[in-house]
């Protein structure tokens, strides 16, 4: 089925998704290092781990919520006569349904200091295995569907709707999370999506506050 009238998404439009996935992989690498050191660190380092973890898990959950609430339904409406492509969306939702409980299980393990290092490491490994497979699968099979079927107008509307659904406190954390350690061109690309007033708030308030807090290590 053809897209609705409008300009088809380009690789440049999809850069937002690529940068988000890079941020998840960045923190997945940090989480893998946690698995090696968990239980051997001082209380302050443990607290830093939890701050980093909560930022990662909240951002990943929000990202999946946007996809489940906005992106996949929009694609399904255009794929009624393409069962193979509908199966890709089924896979995306099934993978989300596996990742969310893995996030919750690791959260419970972090909350209980009596949980041993081996169990925490196993839960981290389970989550990271699921996440790595999902990100690769989405980029290989779902990204082309987005590019081929969604228009820039639809994409902009989804971004606007998802931003409105975020409490300001979550938005204040999400922007700095995404650009943490990102190349300058990716930082500029992400911030270009913010209204001008929020770019200023990010520059002078949200990001400096984020940078002052010890995370992960």
């Amino acid at each position: 089925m053809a897209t609705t009238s409008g300009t088809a998404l380009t690789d440049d439009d999809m850069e937002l998704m690529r940068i988000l996935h890079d941020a998840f992989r960045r923190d997945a690498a940090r989480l893998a290092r946690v698995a090696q050191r968990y239980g051997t660190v001082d209380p302050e380092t443990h607290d830093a781990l939890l701050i980093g973890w909560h930022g990662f898990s909240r951002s990943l959950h929000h990202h999946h919520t946007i996809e489940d609430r906005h992106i996949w339904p929009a694609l399904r409406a255009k794929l009624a006569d393409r069962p193979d492509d509908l199966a890709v969306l089924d896979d995306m939702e099934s993978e989300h349904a596996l990742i969310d409980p893995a996030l919750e299980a690791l959260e419970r393990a972090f909350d209980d200091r009596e949980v041993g290092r081996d169990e925490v490491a196993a839960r981290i490994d389970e989550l990271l295995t699921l996440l790595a497979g999902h990100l690769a699968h989405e980029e290989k099979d779902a990204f082309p569907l987005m590019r081929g079927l969604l228009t820039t107008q639809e994409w902009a509307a989804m971004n606007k709707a998802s931003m409105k659904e975020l409490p300001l406190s979550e938005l204040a954390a999400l922007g700095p999370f995404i650009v943490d350690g990102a190349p300058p061109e990716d930082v500029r690309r992400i911030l270009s999506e913010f209204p001008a007033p929020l770019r200023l708030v990010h520059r002078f308030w949200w990001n400096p506050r984020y940078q002052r807090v010890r995370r992960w290590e």
Side-chain angles (χ1 to χ4, degrees):
M1 185 178 295
T3 60
T4 56
S5 59
T7 305
L9 288 183
T10 66
D11 288 340
D12 183 63
D13 296 315
M14 294 297 297
E15 279 290 275
L16 295 176
M17 294 289 279
R18 192 269 302 166
I19 295 168
L20 265 173
H21 280 201
D22 284 352
F24 297 138
R25 289 187 171 105
R26 174 205 68 214
D27 273 13
R30 290 168 169 167
L31 199 53
R33 292 195 292 273
V34 165
Q36 299 169 5
R37 302 180 60 223
Y38 189 81
T40 67
V41 298
D42 57 82
E44 291 77 14
T45 301
H46 183 78
D47 290 344
L49 148 68
L50 292 183
I51 291 171
W53 156 253
H54 288 145
F56 165 71
S57 60
R58 283 196 306 267
S59 298
L60 181 59
H61 178 73
H62 174 65
H63 176 61
H64 285 174
T65 299
I66 290 172
E67 291 178 331
D68 291 339
R69 188 176 294 168
H70 297 286
I71 299 178
W72 309 147
L75 289 173
R76 282 189 183 279
K78 301 169 185 284
L79 290 172
D81 56 351
R82 292 166 57 173
D84 289 345
D85 290 332
L86 283 173
V88 171
L89 303 185
D90 292 339
D91 288 343
M92 295 297 103
E93 293 175 350
S94 296
E95 290 164 14
H96 285 184
L98 293 174
I99 291 171
D100 287 346
L103 286 168
E104 293 168 4
L106 184 51
E107 176 72 23
R108 289 194 298 271
F110 282 146
D111 282 344
D112 185 354
R113 292 302 297 268
E114 298 302 314
V115 173
R117 178 181 179 181
D118 290 344
E119 182 176 345
V120 168
R123 293 187 186 279
I124 289 174
D125 183 67
E126 177 189 14
L127 172 61
L128 296 187
T129 298
L130 290 170
L131 181 60
H134 173 64
L135 294 178
H137 189 186
E138 184 175 314
E139 290 163 358
K140 177 178 179 290
D141 293 330
F143 277 21
L145 295 178
M146 297 180 208
R147 280 193 297 266
L149 293 170
L150 298 176
T151 67
T152 54
Q153 291 86 345
E154 290 169 328
W155 194 248
M158 289 178 197
N159 285 336
K160 184 176 181 180
S162 63
M163 293 269 284
K164 284 185 175 180
E165 291 168 0
L166 266 182
L168 191 59
S169 60
E170 290 290 323
L171 187 60
L174 182 61
F177 165 82
I178 297 171
V179 303
D180 182 9
E185 59 271 22
D186 287 354
V187 175
R188 288 192 292 270
R189 185 68 181 83
I190 287 293
L191 295 182
S192 71
E193 296 296 315
F194 284 40
L198 287 189
R199 286 200 295 273
L200 290 173
V201 172
H202 169 89
R203 179 179 179 184
F204 293 108
W205 182 22
W206 292 346
N207 200 49
R209 182 178 60 183
Y210 179 94
Q211 295 298 331
R212 285 195 296 268
V213 176
R214 182 183 176 192
R215 287 173 172 80
W216 293 110
E217 301 297 343

